[in-house]
Amino acid sequence: DELVKSIRPFKNTTFLHDDRELQLSIMNKTIDRFLTQPLMQAVAVAKHFQIPVMSVLQPMYGTSDRPKTKWERENITPFPLYQKTCLEDILPSRLRQLRAAKMPVLDLNSGHFFDRMDGDLFIDPAHLTTAGNRIVAEQLYQFLRKNARLSK
C-alpha cells in the first residue's frame, strides 16, 4: 500500500473536460463498447450453458459517508463530475439492464460498506488499499453465499 500510495497517479489531475454532456457521451460509448456489449454477450452464453452469472460494481472514492482520512484528503483528488455522471446517469441505467437480465448485482457504491471503517481505504478515486480490498472480499463472499448458495 505504501509504495502504491507514493505514486499517487491521479494527484492534481482532472477527468476529461468539465462539459457534462461531452463526458456523459464519451463514458456511455466507452461503457457500451467495452463493458455492456461484452457483458451481455457473456450473459447470453452463460444462460445457454446454465452457468450462474453475477455483476459487482466497484466502489469509488467519495461515494461513502465515511469521514476521509488525512492521507486520503491530502492525496486523492476526486473526480466530482465523473462520479456524479456515473452515479446519477450511467450506473442506474446499467443496474436496470443487469437486473432486467435477472443478474444478481452487488453495488459496492450504494451499500454503505465503508461507512464505519477506519484507516486509508483508497489509493486513488477507483483503487483500494489492502484494507479496502478486504472489505470488498468480505462483501463479495457474503454476496456469493446468499446468491450462489455456497456452503461454509
Side-chain angles (χ1 to χ4, degrees):
D1 286 347
E2 293 306 314
L3 175 63
V4 176
K5 284 181 187 177
S6 70
I7 298 169
R8 293 183 283 180
F10 293 107
K11 179 77 172 155
N12 298 323
T13 61
T14 58
F15 181 77
L16 294 176
H17 187 271
D18 287 341
D19 181 334
R20 184 175 173 84
E21 292 304 314
L22 173 63
Q23 211 173 71
L24 184 59
S25 173
I26 291 170
M27 288 190 318
N28 265 317
K29 288 176 184 175
T30 302
I31 288 171
D32 278 338
R33 170 79 193 268
F34 296 105
L35 179 65
T36 305
Q37 291 174 11
L39 179 62
M40 290 304 154
Q41 290 170 350
V43 168
V45 170
K47 282 185 175 186
H48 175 77
F49 290 103
Q50 299 179 348
I51 300 169
V53 178
M54 60 178 261
S55 181
V56 178
L57 303 177
Q58 78 175 56
M60 290 189 293
Y61 178 78
T63 60
S64 169
D65 293 333
R66 176 184 70 88
K68 309 307 178 246
T69 65
K70 181 179 187 294
W71 187 91
E72 288 172 333
R73 285 191 311 276
E74 292 175 356
N75 294 284
I76 300 176
T77 304
F79 301 142
L81 185 56
Y82 167 74
Q83 288 174 319
K84 183 174 176 48
T85 302
C86 278
L87 293 173
E88 292 179 7
D89 298 320
I90 295 175
L91 285 180
S93 66
R94 297 302 180 248
L95 285 169
R96 283 191 299 277
Q97 284 179 313
L98 295 170
R99 291 185 174 127
K102 306 268 190 268
M103 183 183 303
V105 177
L106 173 59
D107 179 1
L108 292 166
N109 287 295
S110 64
H112 302 285
F113 302 112
F114 298 99
D115 288 355
R116 294 183 304 275
M117 302 298 164
D118 294 325
D120 300 330
L121 298 178
F122 287 85
I123 56 171
D124 65 35
H127 298 94
L128 298 164
T129 63
T130 301
N133 280 314
R134 279 192 190 103
I135 295 166
V136 168
E138 178 61 32
Q139 294 305 314
L140 184 55
Y141 173 75
Q142 295 301 329
F143 184 79
L144 286 169
R145 283 194 62 205
K146 177 182 174 188
N147 290 282
R149 294 169 182 76
L150 299 177
S151 59
K152 281 190 172 183

